[in-house]
Amino acid sequence: MAVEANSLDGNGKVCRIIRIGTRKSQLARIQTDSVADKLKELYPDVHLEIVAMSTTGDKILDTALSKIGEKSLFTKELENALEMNEVDLVVHSLKDLPTALPPGFTIGAVLKRENPNDAVVLHQKHVGRTLDTLPENSVIGTSSLRRAAQLKKRFPHLEFKDIRGNLNTRLKKLDEKEDFAAIILAAAGLRRMGWENRISQTLEPGDCMYAVGQGALAVEVRAKDTDILEMVSVLHDPDTVLRCIAERAFLKRLEGGCSVPVAVHTEVKDSQLYLTGAVYSLDGSDSLKDTMQTSITAADKSLEEVDERVQRVGVTATKISGEVKARAERLGVDLADLLLSKGAKEILMVARQLNDTR
């Protein structure tokens, strides 16, 4: 491992130093600290150092994410540091990671998912209301085409406008001005920040399906660093891994990203993995949605411990059955193919073109 470093602890014992890269925002630091705490518990002899940095997405705050056109807005600088051996692993929100990672990198851990749904945070003068009961033409802030497309159709009496910035900035914009009646944020981020009391309404999948990977944390490593890969692999949550492989495979097959409205909902129930996926026009008037399922029980139990290093949509999970991971990936591809056969490509192409001209 190129950046391997050691230091002496207070007892004169040699400690291995592992450097963890993260974005500078408060939420990113909280998420990274939670991963560091888990690693420290599992590997008490390892010394962890956190290296925080700003990404392109953190710096460009006056443009909607979907307009910037860069797939790795919140990850590029962190991956550069990983490539240059300045850090050994990077903690991301999985939804920020493109479905195809740069060569030489892999997702070595996907942690147990927090609630993946979106949440409504109301301006104080509207406390007690819901999206349904807000006055006509109330303005809702969201920087997500996916959220806006679904909610425009579901709540036609509301208006939707872009709002950028990290969680703290967006809440400040809501609270200190009267530009927005409410903003839509990921429930997971609010919960991790300890701000659950700000959640006025959690949007169930019937109102607004979530983004691919939303609510899950990912640890990205250099694929060749087998020792680091082994170290972080114990953080994998099997159900979350399978759900997110299916979601990422669906998005990859559709060639979707920030610039098109694609949404998902997954569930593991009775050894079955269910994936619902949808694509939308920008105003939500045109959409395609369907659900498929697959078994996630390995036919041969001996396969469950196979040390298999095949990446599936960027994820390496050596202790989860290769057969089951292949089924989860195939589920995502098959559902995308079903929607493509019904006209999803045309819907997304028009959405992309309209977004480019906005």
Side-chain angles (χ1 to χ4, degrees):
M1 191 181 115
V3 78
E4 183 150 351
N6 299 305
S7 69
L8 294 176
D9 68 9
N11 302 314
K13 190 168 136 193
V14 174
C15 284
R16 182 175 178 189
I17 296 173
I18 302 289
R19 296 185 178 91
I20 306 177
T22 177
R23 288 167 61 194
K24 280 183 175 174
S25 75
Q26 188 184 353
L27 176 59
R29 290 301 302 263
I30 286 171
Q31 293 178 164
T32 302
D33 287 346
S34 74
V35 173
D37 289 346
K38 286 184 174 71
L39 288 173
K40 196 69 190 164
E41 209 174 294
L42 292 161
Y43 307 103
D45 292 338
V46 170
H47 179 70
L48 301 171
E49 285 183 6
I50 292 175
V51 180
M53 57 194 85
S54 294
T55 64
T56 306
D58 296 315
K59 293 168 188 165
I60 304 174
L61 296 175
D62 56 351
T63 310
L65 294 179
S66 60
K67 299 284 285 177
I68 301 169
E70 167 65 66
K71 279 188 179 174
S72 47
L73 275 177
F74 294 107
T75 59
K76 199 171 186 176
E77 286 78 3
L78 295 164
E79 285 173 338
N80 287 346
L82 199 55
E83 187 174 21
M84 301 293 289
N85 295 329
E86 292 165 7
V87 297
D88 302 293
L89 53 105
V90 175
V91 177
H92 301 282
S93 291
L94 181 57
K95 72 184 174 84
D96 291 339
L97 275 172
T99 51
L101 299 183
F105 298 138
T106 189
I107 296 166
V110 180
L111 284 77
K112 188 171 176 61
R113 195 174 210 166
E114 176 60 87
N115 181 334
N117 293 326
D118 288 317
V120 179
V121 180
L122 291 167
H123 188 281
Q124 58 186 12
K125 71 177 183 184
H126 294 299
V127 168
R129 292 180 183 267
T130 63
L131 291 184
D132 260 323
T133 61
L134 279 172
E136 190 86 19
N137 301 323
S138 292
V139 177
I140 311 300
T142 175
S143 54
S144 158
L145 296 180
R146 169 191 59 81
R147 289 170 181 151
Q150 293 179 83
L151 296 175
K152 278 174 185 173
K153 183 163 189 193
R154 174 69 182 77
F155 305 99
H157 67 293
L158 303 174
E159 286 185 27
F160 294 85
K161 288 193 178 165
D162 281 328
I163 183 168
R164 283 293 319 283
N166 61 35
L167 216 50
N168 309 55
T169 306
R170 280 181 276 174
L171 284 169
K172 197 173 176 184
K173 285 179 182 176
L174 172 71
D175 293 338
E176 294 185 1
K177 297 181 179 177
E178 296 206 3
D179 297 352
F180 300 101
I183 57 176
I184 313 295
L185 300 167
L190 289 162
R191 289 169 70 134
R192 289 188 184 120
M193 293 283 272
W195 295 341
E196 270 182 276
N197 63 328
R198 293 301 311 264
I199 297 176
S200 312
Q201 179 184 1
T202 300
L203 295 170
E204 296 302 324
D207 286 330
C208 190
M209 293 203 302
Y210 41 84
V212 165
Q214 186 160 309
L217 297 182
V219 180
E220 188 179 18
V221 301
R222 290 180 290 269
K224 68 178 189 295
D225 284 347
T226 51
D227 52 347
I228 295 280
L229 200 48
E230 186 64 29
M231 175 188 274
V232 302
S233 69
V234 294
L235 300 175
H236 269 310
D237 176 66
D239 282 1
T240 305
V241 170
L242 295 173
R243 289 171 67 187
C244 291
I245 284 175
E247 292 173 18
R248 285 171 64 80
F250 174 72
L251 183 65
K252 186 176 184 181
R253 187 67 157 200
L254 290 173
E255 297 178 353
C258 270
S259 58
V260 288
V262 174
V264 292
H265 170 60
T266 47
E267 191 178 10
V268 172
K269 197 175 172 184
D270 302 328
S271 300
Q272 294 283 314
L273 171 60
Y274 295 84
L275 169 65
T276 301
V279 301
Y280 302 89
S281 58
L282 288 190
D283 64 358
S285 61
D286 204 1
S287 65
L288 285 168
K289 178 177 171 183
D290 222 312
T291 303
M292 293 177 85
Q293 70 192 78
T294 191
S295 166
I296 53 168
T297 304
D300 180 351
K301 291 289 179 190
S302 65
L303 282 173
E304 293 200 346
E305 290 303 316
V306 169
D307 185 15
E308 180 235 16
R309 298 208 178 272
V310 176
Q311 281 196 43
R312 303 206 178 268
V313 278
V315 179
T316 300
T318 57
K319 294 177 178 67
I320 298 173
S321 156
E323 175 196 352
V324 172
K325 284 183 293 190
R327 280 199 218 132
E329 185 174 26
R330 172 51 54 192
L331 177 65
V333 171
D334 286 349
L335 183 60
D337 283 343
L338 177 63
L339 295 191
L340 288 167
S341 74
K342 294 179 176 181
K345 192 169 188 175
E346 290 69 28
I347 291 175
L348 293 178
M349 193 169 67
V350 171
R352 205 176 259 118
Q353 287 169 348
L354 283 173
N355 184 54
D356 289 345
T357 58
R358 278 201 309 164

